[in-house]
Amino acid sequence: MSVLRRRGALSLRELSLSTPVTVVSCRARSFSVNNRPPPKYPGHVPLNFVERGALAVGSAVGALLNPRRADLIAACGEATATPYFIYRLRDAMLSDPTGRQILRERPRITSETLPLPYLRSLPENSVGRTYAAWLDREGVSPDTRDNVQYIDDEECAYVMQRYRECHDFYHAVTGLPTFVEGEIALKAFEFLNTLIPMTGLSMFAAVRLKPAERERFFALWLPWAVRSGLASKELINVYWEKILEKDVDELRGELGIEKPPDMREIRRMIREQKKREKERLQQSA
Amino acid sequence: MRPFTRSALRPYVCPSCRSGRLVGRRRFGSKPDQAPDVYDVVCVGGGPAGLGLLAALRASPLTSKLRVALIETQDLQKARAWSLDSQHFSNRVSSLTPSSVSFLKKIGAWEHLDTDRAQEYQEMQVWDGETDSRITFDWSADTSPFENLPTVATMTENANLVRGLLSRIAASGDENISIFSNTTVSSIENGTDHPDGPDLSAWPVLSLAPNGTAQSQLPTRIAARLLVGADGINSPVRRFADIATEGWDYNRHGVVATLSLADPDQVSFPIGTRTAYQRFLPSLGGPVALLPLPNNHATLVWSTTVENAAYLKSLSPKAFIAMVNAAFRLSMTDLKYMMRMERPANSASDYEDLHESELTWRLQHTPQASQVPPMVNGVQEGSVASFPLRFRHASTYISPRVALVGDAAHVIHPLAGQGLNLGMGDVASLSKTIEYAVDHGMDIGDILSLEKYTAERWAVNAKIGGVCDMLHKLYNVPGHGPVAWGRSLGLEIIDRLPFVKGFLMKNAEG
C-alpha cells in the first residue's frame, strides 16, 4: 500500500516537470493529469481535488497501519491542511510581529543552522540546551524532516514546513518522548494550539495504544493537552532560533504551557512496579 | 411638528376690525414692532443644496420674480474667488449622478462649472476584501458596442459646484435677490400681527446678525413666506419647525485625501474610460474608495473606525500612500496588522519605510485581484482630513412655511456616494413644487402646496439611506462566516444578472 503511494507521488512529480502547461492557477480550476500546472515553488506537486483526497485517505490509513512512517504522516498533514486550516495558521502568524518576522526571514531548522555542539554549550535549563538534551535522549536529528510538496500556496507551504521543523522544539519544551504514546499526547496539544487537521486525525492512533496506555492517555495526557493547548499562545509564533538562551521554565510561563509529568519516568516506574509485583508473586509462589 | 399657531386656529376676523380692536394694546406694547422685510423664499445655508435651490428658482420663468434671500455664515466671496491649478484638487469631492448633472444643466448651472476639473467615469469596480467577490457597474449591457459607454457618475469638487452655482445666480441679475453672506441667523421665531401691516403671526421671522465685517445694508429682521432649511445636519430651521429627526452615529470617520496616480498598467478601452474602485474592508470598519479626478489624480474616501482614521491622519505622506495601496491589495490580516504598527521612537525616516517595506514584502505573497486601481504615488499636501459618518432622517421635510432640503433633511453613509445627489433631487423637487404653486396661484408656504415635495422625496431618501445603512452593516461583519458567504453569493448573483444590476443602477441614479 505505502509503496504504491510512494511510486504514485514520484510519477506525478515527473509528469509535472515534463509537460509544458500554461494554466496559471491550480486552485481556481481543477485540472486533469494531462495539463498539470507548473510547480509554484521548488518541489511543489500540484494536485487536483481527487488526487488530494486519495492522498489524504491513503496516507492516513498507511500511517495508522505503520505509525513510524513519518513521510505518510507528513503527506496526510499536507493533504488535509488546505481548505481553511493552513490559511488560519498563516494569518495567526501574520497577526503577530514575531510571526511576521519568521515569515519574512523564513529560517529553516537543520543541524547546520542550529549546530548541536553549540546547543550543548548553552547554560543549563536554557531552551537550546533542553532541545539538545532531548535530541540526545531520543536519539533523533533535526535533518529527518521532509520538504512540503502538496500545499499550493508557497507561503502556506513554508508555514507547514515551519510547523514540522518546530515540532521537535515542542517535544523538547514539553519533554514528551517520540514513541506513540508521547506523540499522541503532543499531537493533541498541537491540535488545540495550531488546529492543523492532521494533528487531530492522529487521535485515531489511540486505538493502537495498549489498554493501560489508553487509560493514561484519557486520564492524564488529554486533559493536560486541552488545558495547555487552549491556554497557551500560538506556538508557531515562537522564533526558537532567537530564544535559545532563554530559561525554559520562563518560556513555558510566557507561553502558558504547563509542564506535563515526565512520561518516560512514569513508564519506568510502572515497569518497575510490575517487575516488583512479579517478583513478589514468584516469591510467594 | 410645530403646533399650529394661534392665528391658524382662532376664528377669522378681518384685518381692519382687528386693528381697531387691538390698536390700544399694541401701542403700549414693550416690543419695538418694526415690520420685518418680507421675502417669498428665504434659504438658510449656502451649500450646494441651498445655492442649487436659488439657482433653480432663478432659472424658471415662473419663479424668477419671487423675492428670494439666502443667508450663509461663511464668506461667499471666498467661494466665488476659489481657484486651484490643474494639478491640485480640493479634498471635498462628490460624485454626481447623471440625473443630478442633467438637473444642473437644466437650470443652466453646468456651463458655469469648470468642466475641465470634473471627471466622468464609466465603470465602477466594487469588491469584498474578505472574500474577493466582485461586482462591476457599467452600462455596457444597455449600450450597443458602437456607442460610447454612458457615464456612471461625474466627480466634481464641491467648491467647483458652489462657485458654478454662485456665478449662475449672479448671471440671473440682482433684482429680487439678496444674498447675505457672512451672516448668522441669531434667532427664528414667529412674527407678530402688525396693526398696520401684515399679520405675520404664522410666518417665520429671522433675526440676522453680521459676522465680523458688517454689511451696511443688512436688515436685521426678515420674514419668509417660505423658509427653506439647507443648513446642514444641525439645522436651526429644523429646530425652529420642531421637526423630529431620527438617526445614529456610525462611530466611523471618512478619511479623505487627494492623490496622484501612477500610469495604469494597461490602457483603458475605449481610450479615456476611467474607473472608480471601492473595496469593502469589513475588519477595518468600512469601504475604501478611489474615485478618478482629471490628470491622473484621484480622490480617496476611506470609511473606517475613529481610531484607524486618527492613525491614518498621523502617518507621514509616504506611509499614508503605502497604506492606501495596501488597502486595495493586501489581506485583512495584513491591513489590521499595519493599522496597529507602532511608530518607533528613534527617527521619522525609519518609520516611513516600515509601511512601505511591509507593503512590498506582502505584495510578493498576496495573490492579486483581477482589477486593482493603479498605484498611488503621491498625496497632495494638506489634503488628508476626516469627517464623522452619521445617519439622520427628519420625520418630515415640511411644516407650515418651512421646508428642509439636503443634509438638514437627511444625512446618510457615503458608501454609495449618494449624499449630494439626494440633496440635488430634493432641490429639483422643491423647485418644481414652488413652480406649481406659483403657477396655480397657491401660497408657496402653505403646507398643502409643500405636501407634494415631501411626498415625492421622503420615501426615496429613506430607501437610499436605508440601503446604504444596510450595506454598511452587512459589510462590517468580519471573517469568513455565513454572513460573508451570503453577501458574496448575493453579490456574484447580482453581477451575473444584467437586468437586476441594471435595475439597481437605475435606482441608484434616482
Side-chain angles (χ1 to χ4, degrees):
Chain A
M1 165 93 203
S2 56
V3 176
L4 267 176
R5 285 257 25 112
R6 231 24 219 166
R7 200 183 294 151
L10 273 176
S11 63
L12 290 184
R13 206 172 314 168
E14 280 159 11
L15 251 178
S16 69
L17 290 176
S18 60
T19 44
V21 278
T22 47
V23 183
V24 184
S25 163
C26 61
R27 223 191 316 153
R29 184 183 300 197
S30 65
F31 50 82
S32 74
V33 183
N34 296 323
N35 63 351
R36 191 173 300 279
K40 290 190 172 170
Y41 53 90
H44 175 215
V45 182
L47 296 182
N48 64 25
F49 180 76
V50 178
E51 291 166 336
R52 192 180 298 282
L55 179 64
V57 174
S59 59
V61 171
L64 192 60
L65 295 177
N66 181 3
R68 299 212 155 271
R69 285 289 303 273
D71 57 326
L72 288 184
I73 296 173
C76 178
E78 292 169 32
T80 52
T82 17
Y84 178 69
F85 299 100
I86 198 72
Y87 298 104
R88 191 211 71 84
L89 196 60
R90 184 200 46 191
D91 287 349
M93 289 184 84
L94 284 176
S95 306
D96 182 87
T98 320
R100 282 180 95 86
Q101 197 189 354
I102 296 171
L103 280 178
R104 209 163 179 167
E105 295 169 6
R106 296 204 174 174
R108 298 289 299 262
I109 300 174
T110 61
S111 56
E112 274 166 36
T113 57
L114 293 180
L116 270 178
Y118 161 71
L119 293 177
R120 291 195 191 105
S121 72
L122 287 169
E124 192 66 40
N125 211 34
S126 65
V127 173
R129 180 74 170 267
T130 314
Y131 176 61
W134 181 85
L135 287 179
D136 292 341
R137 185 173 78 164
E138 303 292 329
V140 291
S141 145
D143 295 333
T144 51
R145 299 283 165 213
D146 287 332
N147 282 336
V148 172
Q149 39 189 346
Y150 303 118
I151 288 179
D152 290 332
D153 186 274
E154 50 91 35
E155 192 166 51
C156 290
Y158 173 75
V159 173
M160 195 68 186
Q161 190 75 41
R162 176 75 186 170
Y163 152 74
R164 197 174 284 170
E165 286 171 2
C166 290
H167 177 74
D168 283 350
F169 270 103
Y170 306 162
H171 268 298
V173 168
T174 58
L176 290 170
T178 50
F179 44 73
V180 175
E181 191 185 355
E183 283 290 354
I184 292 181
L186 186 62
K187 286 277 196 297
F189 168 75
E190 284 176 355
F191 179 61
L192 291 159
N193 194 269
T194 62
L195 221 67
I196 291 177
M198 176 269 288
T199 55
L201 290 174
S202 306
M203 295 303 103
F204 285 106
V207 300
R208 292 185 59 93
L209 293 174
K210 292 175 190 150
E213 287 177 337
R214 201 175 310 146
E215 198 179 306
R216 268 207 306 274
F217 175 70
F218 286 112
L220 187 59
W221 306 116
L222 192 61
W224 162 80
V226 173
R227 250 192 339 266
S228 289
L230 292 179
S232 63
K233 300 206 181 101
E234 298 271 2
L235 283 184
I236 196 85
N237 290 334
V238 179
Y239 209 143
W240 299 101
E241 293 88 333
K242 304 235 159 150
I243 54 156
L244 290 173
E245 288 170 26
K246 196 176 218 167
D247 186 83
V248 73
D249 293 317
E250 197 186 316
L251 177 76
R252 272 191 221 110
E254 258 174 41
L255 295 174
I257 304 173
E258 240 174 86
K259 184 168 166 49
D262 190 332
M263 191 183 276
R264 280 191 188 268
E265 195 65 21
I266 290 177
R267 285 164 70 108
R268 197 174 51 79
M269 274 160 55
I270 289 172
R271 263 199 314 275
E272 277 174 9
Q273 202 179 348
K274 274 190 186 153
K275 213 155 98 193
R276 276 200 299 275
E277 271 173 27
K278 213 186 246 173
E279 278 167 10
R280 216 180 308 140
L281 277 174
Q282 279 169 349
Q283 279 169 2
S284 60
Chain B
M1 202 187 287
R2 178 168 55 126
F4 282 86
T5 42
R6 55 200 163 82
S7 69
L9 298 174
R10 74 177 172 215
Y12 179 77
V13 181
C14 86
S16 60
C17 307
R18 220 166 349 137
S19 63
R21 255 176 54 199
L22 296 172
V23 77
R25 215 174 88 198
R26 284 285 162 191
R27 193 165 293 154
F28 303 109
S30 55
K31 268 190 193 168
D33 263 341
Q34 197 192 348
D37 215 355
V38 176
Y39 283 89
D40 290 317
V41 178
V42 173
C43 182
V44 181
L51 292 171
L53 180 71
L54 228 61
L57 292 178
R58 299 293 284 176
S60 159
L62 280 167
T63 53
S64 61
K65 297 288 179 288
L66 291 178
R67 193 155 185 249
V68 293
L70 182 116
I71 301 151
E72 166 61 41
T73 344
Q74 309 276 318
D75 189 1
L76 287 174
Q77 207 50 49
K78 273 188 205 148
R80 284 191 194 100
W82 175 83
S83 104
L84 276 175
D85 65 82
S86 63
Q87 296 301 320
H88 286 85
F89 295 91
S90 151
N91 60 7
R92 297 187 63 193
V93 184
S94 300
S95 90
L96 293 174
T97 56
S99 61
S100 296
V101 171
S102 70
F103 168 69
L104 290 171
K105 281 185 178 150
K106 199 185 105 196
I107 65 171
W110 191 251
E111 60 204 64
H112 290 270
L113 257 72
D114 184 353
T115 39
D116 288 343
R117 299 184 68 85
Q119 176 67 54
E120 302 182 334
Y121 61 85
Q122 291 78 14
E123 187 191 31
M124 177 135 198
Q125 296 271 347
V126 180
W127 71 106
D128 186 339
E130 202 83 68
T131 62
D132 269 336
S133 67
R134 174 179 289 264
I135 190 163
T136 309
F137 291 109
D138 60 29
W139 290 111
S140 60
D142 297 5
T143 328
S144 90
F146 307 107
E147 292 174 88
N148 281 336
L149 270 183
T151 54
V152 171
T154 310
M155 298 307 301
T156 321
E157 292 156 286
N158 290 4
N160 188 6
L161 181 60
V162 163
R163 189 182 58 179
L165 287 167
L166 278 169
S167 81
R168 168 72 188 94
I169 293 166
S172 71
D174 49 8
E175 289 172 64
N176 294 331
I177 184 165
S178 316
I179 292 181
F180 306 115
S181 101
N182 242 336
T183 305
T184 31
V185 177
S186 53
S187 74
I188 310 173
E189 53 203 1
N190 278 322
T192 47
D193 187 359
H194 289 271
D196 323 313
D199 175 8
L200 296 179
S201 55
W203 285 40
V205 174
L206 295 86
S207 306
L208 305 184
N211 223 357
T213 50
Q215 277 170 297
S216 52
Q217 76 279 24
L218 187 70
T220 50
R221 303 180 72 217
I222 59 174
R225 188 182 297 276
L226 172 62
L227 175 64
V228 177
D231 42 357
I233 186 163
N234 297 314
S235 167
V237 172
R238 193 179 63 212
R239 217 173 308 129
F240 159 74
D242 205 11
I243 295 174
T245 38
E246 282 170 56
W248 48 84
D249 292 358
Y250 284 113
N251 284 325
R252 298 285 189 277
H253 272 227
V255 177
V256 292
T258 306
L259 307 167
S260 65
L261 305 178
D263 289 322
D265 301 334
Q266 67 249 36
V267 180
S268 59
F269 179 80
I271 289 168
T273 307
R274 296 287 298 268
T275 307
Y277 300 89
Q278 174 154 307
R279 187 184 189 207
F280 284 101
L281 307 172
S283 308
L284 299 185
V288 57
L290 198 69
L291 304 147
L293 288 175
N295 302 325
N296 224 7
H297 282 69
T299 187
L300 173 85
V301 187
W302 189 342
S303 313
T304 186
T305 57
V306 184
E307 304 82 58
N308 287 349
Y311 180 81
L312 285 172
K313 281 199 289 181
S314 75
L315 293 176
S316 68
K318 253 177 149 180
F320 183 80
I321 291 166
M323 277 309 288
V324 171
N325 284 327
F328 285 99
R329 290 167 176 85
L330 297 190
S331 72
M332 288 298 112
T333 320
D334 286 324
L335 285 173
K336 264 195 290 190
Y337 180 83
M338 285 170 78
M339 274 286 188
R340 287 199 317 266
M341 278 197 329
E342 293 286 327
R343 182 196 289 266
N346 47 16
S347 73
S349 58
D350 281 358
Y351 174 56
E352 286 168 7
D353 289 328
L354 218 60
H355 283 89
E356 244 173 49
S357 76
E358 207 70 21
L359 172 68
T360 332
W361 166 52
R362 289 314 301 164
L363 277 179
Q364 297 162 10
H365 301 295
T366 313
Q368 285 307 299
S370 53
Q371 285 238 339
V372 287
M375 290 291 256
V376 172
N377 60 13
V379 54
Q380 188 179 306
E381 207 178 318
S383 71
V384 183
S386 75
F387 59 94
L389 306 188
R390 293 175 285 203
F391 181 87
R392 294 283 187 282
H393 200 197
S395 58
T396 178
Y397 298 164
I398 57 164
S399 173
R401 305 217 172 275
V402 172
L404 304 176
V405 293
D407 280 2
H410 44 75
V411 177
I412 65 168
H413 195 287
L415 65 82
Q418 288 292 344
L420 188 67
N421 295 306
L422 294 189
M424 285 293 132
D426 292 348
V427 166
S429 168
L430 182 59
S431 64
K432 225 165 53 196
T433 306
I434 295 173
E435 251 177 53
Y436 182 87
V438 169
D439 199 18
H440 291 72
M442 298 156 82
D443 178 355
I444 58 166
D446 193 79
I447 198 148
L448 287 174
S449 339
L450 295 174
E451 192 98 87
K452 197 163 141 252
Y453 160 61
T454 197
E456 212 171 82
R457 291 306 298 172
W458 198 90
V460 174
N461 292 343
K463 181 183 75 183
I464 303 257
V467 167
C468 291
D469 184 58
M470 195 198 70
L471 285 175
H472 162 79
K473 292 193 166 116
L474 194 58
Y475 279 96
N476 255 291
V477 182
H480 286 269
V483 175
W485 181 81
R487 71 177 180 224
S488 303
L489 182 72
L491 201 68
E492 301 274 337
I493 289 175
I494 292 170
D495 195 39
R496 280 165 176 71
L497 296 176
F499 52 94
V500 176
K501 200 156 81 172
F503 172 77
L504 288 177
M505 285 173 72
K506 285 193 183 96
N507 263 285
E509 202 184 88

